[in-house]
Tab-separated table of all heavy atoms in Angstrom:
chain	number	residue	atom	x	y	z
A	1	LYS	N	0.812	-1.218	0.000
A	1	LYS	CA	0.000	0.000	0.000
A	1	LYS	C	0.847	1.270	0.000
A	1	LYS	O	0.570	2.205	-0.772
A	1	LYS	CB	-0.924	-0.002	1.222
A	1	LYS	CG	-1.790	1.244	1.383
A	1	LYS	CD	-2.712	1.098	2.583
A	1	LYS	CE	-3.577	2.336	2.778
A	1	LYS	NZ	-2.774	3.493	3.240
A	2	ASP	N	1.877	1.311	0.841
A	2	ASP	CA	2.624	2.553	1.039
A	2	ASP	C	3.990	2.597	0.351
A	2	ASP	O	4.559	3.681	0.179
A	2	ASP	CB	2.826	2.815	2.533
A	2	ASP	CG	1.511	3.083	3.247
A	2	ASP	OD1	0.491	3.327	2.568
A	2	ASP	OD2	1.509	3.049	4.501
A	3	PHE	N	4.537	1.417	-0.009
A	3	PHE	CA	5.891	1.398	-0.564
A	3	PHE	C	5.983	0.630	-1.885
A	3	PHE	O	7.072	0.243	-2.297
A	3	PHE	CB	6.862	0.784	0.453
A	3	PHE	CG	6.930	1.520	1.761
A	3	PHE	CD1	6.227	1.061	2.871
A	3	PHE	CD2	7.683	2.679	1.891
A	3	PHE	CE1	6.282	1.733	4.089
A	3	PHE	CE2	7.750	3.364	3.103
A	3	PHE	CZ	7.043	2.894	4.205
A	4	ASN	N	4.834	0.406	-2.519
A	4	ASN	CA	4.811	-0.306	-3.807
A	4	ASN	C	5.482	-1.675	-3.733
A	4	ASN	O	6.068	-2.150	-4.714
A	4	ASN	CB	5.482	0.537	-4.896
A	4	ASN	CG	4.751	1.832	-5.169
A	4	ASN	OD1	3.515	1.843	-5.302
A	4	ASN	ND2	5.477	2.941	-5.244
A	5	GLY	N	5.408	-2.287	-2.547
A	5	GLY	CA	5.962	-3.624	-2.374
A	5	GLY	C	7.456	-3.671	-2.175
A	5	GLY	O	8.038	-4.751	-2.066
A	6	VAL	N	8.099	-2.500	-2.115
A	6	VAL	CA	9.559	-2.437	-1.979
A	6	VAL	C	9.936	-2.155	-0.524
A	6	VAL	O	9.391	-1.239	0.099
A	6	VAL	CB	10.141	-1.336	-2.880
A	6	VAL	CG1	11.647	-1.231	-2.693
A	6	VAL	CG2	9.796	-1.617	-4.336
A	7	VAL	N	10.850	-2.913	0.020
A	7	VAL	CA	11.303	-2.715	1.402
A	7	VAL	C	12.073	-1.406	1.487
A	7	VAL	O	13.055	-1.206	0.763
A	7	VAL	CB	12.198	-3.878	1.866
A	7	VAL	CG1	12.748	-3.608	3.257
A	7	VAL	CG2	11.404	-5.183	1.854
A	8	PRO	N	11.651	-0.498	2.367
A	8	PRO	CA	12.356	0.788	2.502
A	8	PRO	C	13.699	0.608	3.194
A	8	PRO	O	13.970	-0.425	3.810
A	8	PRO	CB	11.394	1.628	3.349
A	8	PRO	CG	10.644	0.606	4.160
A	8	PRO	CD	10.478	-0.581	3.256
A	9	SER	N	14.532	1.637	3.121
A	9	SER	CA	15.904	1.515	3.621
A	9	SER	C	16.203	2.351	4.854
A	9	SER	O	17.344	2.367	5.322
A	9	SER	CB	16.893	1.897	2.511
A	9	SER	OG	16.709	3.257	2.140
A	10	THR	N	15.211	3.058	5.401
A	10	THR	CA	15.476	3.900	6.564
A	10	THR	C	14.796	3.347	7.810
A	10	THR	O	13.763	2.672	7.721
A	10	THR	CB	14.987	5.343	6.332
A	10	THR	OG1	13.546	5.354	6.301
A	10	THR	CG2	15.531	5.906	5.042
A	11	THR	N	15.375	3.670	8.948
A	11	THR	CA	14.791	3.236	10.225
A	11	THR	C	13.383	3.783	10.382
A	11	THR	O	12.472	3.061	10.816
A	11	THR	CB	15.662	3.717	11.398
A	11	THR	OG1	16.973	3.178	11.279
A	11	THR	CG2	15.066	3.292	12.732
A	12	GLU	N	13.203	5.038	10.021
A	12	GLU	CA	11.905	5.689	10.190
A	12	GLU	C	10.824	4.971	9.399
A	12	GLU	O	9.707	4.758	9.885
A	12	GLU	CB	11.997	7.159	9.750
A	12	GLU	CG	12.867	8.033	10.647
A	12	GLU	CD	14.355	7.767	10.485
A	12	GLU	OE1	14.765	7.255	9.418
A	12	GLU	OE2	15.106	8.051	11.447
A	13	GLU	N	11.140	4.584	8.177
A	13	GLU	CA	10.146	3.907	7.337
A	13	GLU	C	9.959	2.446	7.749
A	13	GLU	O	8.834	1.953	7.822
A	13	GLU	CB	10.570	3.987	5.870
A	13	GLU	CG	10.513	5.388	5.280
A	13	GLU	CD	11.088	5.448	3.889
A	13	GLU	OE1	12.171	4.861	3.648
A	13	GLU	OE2	10.453	6.080	3.025
A	14	LEU	N	11.054	1.770	8.008
A	14	LEU	CA	10.967	0.360	8.370
A	14	LEU	C	10.154	0.147	9.642
A	14	LEU	O	9.365	-0.802	9.737
A	14	LEU	CB	12.372	-0.227	8.547
A	14	LEU	CG	13.138	-0.534	7.260
A	14	LEU	CD1	14.620	-0.731	7.549
A	14	LEU	CD2	12.553	-1.767	6.570
A	15	THR	N	10.327	1.020	10.607
A	15	THR	CA	9.636	0.835	11.884
A	15	THR	C	8.162	1.227	11.831
A	15	THR	O	7.467	1.108	12.830
A	15	THR	CB	10.343	1.615	13.015
A	15	THR	OG1	10.526	2.980	12.627
A	15	THR	CG2	11.685	0.985	13.346
A	16	THR	N	7.671	1.653	10.668
A	16	THR	CA	6.228	1.854	10.513
A	16	THR	C	5.544	0.542	10.158
A	16	THR	O	4.315	0.455	10.185
A	16	THR	CB	5.911	2.881	9.400
A	16	THR	OG1	6.309	2.366	8.125
A	16	THR	CG2	6.595	4.209	9.669
A	17	LEU	N	6.338	-0.480	9.841
A	17	LEU	CA	5.794	-1.775	9.455
A	17	LEU	C	5.485	-2.606	10.690
A	17	LEU	O	6.223	-2.590	11.676
A	17	LEU	CB	6.791	-2.522	8.574
A	17	LEU	CG	7.228	-1.807	7.291
A	17	LEU	CD1	8.374	-2.569	6.629
A	17	LEU	CD2	6.053	-1.667	6.333
A	18	ALA	N	4.400	-3.354	10.633
A	18	ALA	CA	3.971	-4.185	11.766
A	18	ALA	C	5.065	-5.174	12.157
A	18	ALA	O	5.653	-5.840	11.294
A	18	ALA	CB	2.696	-4.943	11.397
A	19	GLY	N	5.355	-5.237	13.444
A	19	GLY	CA	6.322	-6.192	13.954
A	19	GLY	C	7.775	-5.807	13.774
A	19	GLY	O	8.673	-6.554	14.169
A	20	VAL	N	8.030	-4.649	13.196
A	20	VAL	CA	9.412	-4.233	12.921
A	20	VAL	C	9.839	-3.158	13.910
A	20	VAL	O	9.350	-2.028	13.874
A	20	VAL	CB	9.565	-3.702	11.484
A	20	VAL	CG1	11.001	-3.249	11.234
A	20	VAL	CG2	9.162	-4.776	10.483
A	21	GLY	N	10.739	-3.541	14.818
A	21	GLY	CA	11.300	-2.594	15.763
A	21	GLY	C	12.673	-2.154	15.302
A	21	GLY	O	13.120	-2.481	14.196
A	22	ARG	N	13.359	-1.442	16.141
A	22	ARG	CA	14.672	-0.904	15.785
A	22	ARG	C	15.675	-2.007	15.474
A	22	ARG	O	16.474	-1.889	14.541
A	22	ARG	CB	15.199	-0.008	16.910
A	22	ARG	CG	16.513	0.679	16.558
A	22	ARG	CD	16.939	1.680	17.617
A	22	ARG	NE	18.161	2.362	17.211
A	22	ARG	CZ	18.205	3.418	16.422
A	22	ARG	NH1	17.086	3.917	15.940
A	22	ARG	NH2	19.361	3.977	16.088
A	23	LYS	N	15.649	-3.092	16.237
A	23	LYS	CA	16.598	-4.186	16.011
A	23	LYS	C	16.420	-4.784	14.622
A	23	LYS	O	17.392	-4.953	13.869
A	23	LYS	CB	16.433	-5.278	17.071
A	23	LYS	CG	17.347	-6.478	16.846
A	23	LYS	CD	17.157	-7.518	17.930
A	23	LYS	CE	15.850	-8.258	17.781
A	23	LYS	NZ	15.859	-9.171	16.581
A	24	THR	N	15.189	-5.110	14.278
A	24	THR	CA	14.923	-5.686	12.957
A	24	THR	C	15.283	-4.708	11.856
A	24	THR	O	15.886	-5.086	10.837
A	24	THR	CB	13.437	-6.080	12.842
A	24	THR	OG1	13.149	-7.100	13.800
A	24	THR	CG2	13.106	-6.607	11.454
A	25	ALA	N	14.950	-3.446	12.059
A	25	ALA	CA	15.285	-2.421	11.062
A	25	ALA	C	16.791	-2.326	10.863
A	25	ALA	O	17.276	-2.207	9.730
A	25	ALA	CB	14.722	-1.070	11.492
A	26	ASN	N	17.541	-2.405	11.943
A	26	ASN	CA	18.995	-2.321	11.852
A	26	ASN	C	19.583	-3.520	11.115
A	26	ASN	O	20.549	-3.385	10.354
A	26	ASN	CB	19.615	-2.211	13.242
A	26	ASN	CG	19.526	-0.810	13.812
A	26	ASN	OD1	19.177	0.136	13.110
A	26	ASN	ND2	19.834	-0.659	15.087
A	27	VAL	N	19.025	-4.708	11.351
A	27	VAL	CA	19.500	-5.905	10.651
A	27	VAL	C	19.296	-5.746	9.151
A	27	VAL	O	20.205	-6.000	8.348
A	27	VAL	CB	18.771	-7.172	11.151
A	27	VAL	CG1	19.081	-8.361	10.242
A	27	VAL	CG2	19.173	-7.495	12.575
A	28	VAL	N	18.112	-5.336	8.746
A	28	VAL	CA	17.804	-5.185	7.321
A	28	VAL	C	18.701	-4.131	6.680
A	28	VAL	O	19.232	-4.329	5.578
A	28	VAL	CB	16.316	-4.824	7.119
A	28	VAL	CG1	16.028	-4.466	5.662
A	28	VAL	CG2	15.430	-5.978	7.566
A	29	GLN	N	18.904	-3.026	7.375
A	29	GLN	CA	19.742	-1.965	6.819
A	29	GLN	C	21.189	-2.415	6.668
A	29	GLN	O	21.842	-2.119	5.665
A	29	GLN	CB	19.674	-0.724	7.716
A	29	GLN	CG	18.324	-0.013	7.650
A	29	GLN	CD	18.289	1.193	8.575
A	29	GLN	OE1	18.514	2.321	8.163
A	29	GLN	NE2	17.996	0.933	9.838
A	30	ALA	N	21.693	-3.135	7.658
A	30	ALA	CA	23.091	-3.578	7.610
A	30	ALA	C	23.294	-4.687	6.589
A	30	ALA	O	24.212	-4.635	5.765
A	30	ALA	CB	23.536	-4.045	8.994
A	31	VAL	N	22.436	-5.705	6.642
A	31	VAL	CA	22.632	-6.893	5.812
A	31	VAL	C	22.278	-6.640	4.350
A	31	VAL	O	23.018	-7.040	3.442
A	31	VAL	CB	21.811	-8.075	6.368
A	31	VAL	CG1	21.887	-9.274	5.431
A	31	VAL	CG2	22.299	-8.460	7.754
A	32	TRP	N	21.157	-5.989	4.105
A	32	TRP	CA	20.714	-5.808	2.723
A	32	TRP	C	21.237	-4.513	2.094
A	32	TRP	O	21.688	-4.503	0.958
A	32	TRP	CB	19.197	-5.856	2.621
A	32	TRP	CG	18.739	-5.858	1.190
A	32	TRP	CD1	18.285	-4.800	0.450
A	32	TRP	CD2	18.744	-6.983	0.302
A	32	TRP	NE1	18.006	-5.190	-0.843
A	32	TRP	CE2	18.279	-6.532	-0.963
A	32	TRP	CE3	19.107	-8.330	0.454
A	32	TRP	CZ2	18.155	-7.385	-2.054
A	32	TRP	CZ3	18.974	-9.173	-0.644
A	32	TRP	CH2	18.511	-8.695	-1.869
A	33	PHE	N	21.160	-3.439	2.858
A	33	PHE	CA	21.518	-2.144	2.297
A	33	PHE	C	22.957	-1.718	2.586
A	33	PHE	O	23.414	-0.683	2.103
A	33	PHE	CB	20.553	-1.066	2.809
A	33	PHE	CG	19.137	-1.265	2.338
A	33	PHE	CD1	18.172	-1.777	3.198
A	33	PHE	CD2	18.777	-0.964	1.034
A	33	PHE	CE1	16.858	-1.972	2.768
A	33	PHE	CE2	17.474	-1.142	0.592
A	33	PHE	CZ	16.508	-1.653	1.453
A	34	GLY	N	23.668	-2.526	3.387
A	34	GLY	CA	25.066	-2.239	3.655
A	34	GLY	C	25.316	-0.991	4.480
A	34	GLY	O	26.383	-0.380	4.393
A	35	LYS	N	24.355	-0.631	5.297
A	35	LYS	CA	24.505	0.568	6.116
A	35	LYS	C	25.214	0.230	7.429
A	35	LYS	O	25.124	-0.891	7.932
A	35	LYS	CB	23.132	1.177	6.420
A	35	LYS	CG	22.431	1.764	5.206
A	35	LYS	CD	21.167	2.501	5.629
A	35	LYS	CE	20.493	3.189	4.465
A	35	LYS	NZ	19.304	3.982	4.902
A	36	PRO	N	25.914	1.193	8.023
A	36	PRO	CA	26.600	0.959	9.293
A	36	PRO	C	25.638	1.033	10.476
A	36	PRO	O	25.680	1.969	11.282
A	36	PRO	CB	27.643	2.080	9.329
A	36	PRO	CG	26.998	3.199	8.576
A	36	PRO	CD	26.208	2.541	7.480
A	37	THR	N	24.737	0.060	10.559
A	37	THR	CA	23.803	-0.014	11.676
A	37	THR	C	24.120	-1.256	12.495
A	37	THR	O	24.616	-2.251	11.959
A	37	THR	CB	22.344	-0.073	11.198
A	37	THR	OG1	22.187	-1.196	10.296
A	37	THR	CG2	21.956	1.206	10.476
């Protein structure tokens, strides 16, 4: 609905998703997007 089916890359956007807290957001950013989280 909000991201056209694409996983967002920021903590602010990721944590708007059900069940996604800061820890999960940090894992996705580090592992998939290569961010220093």
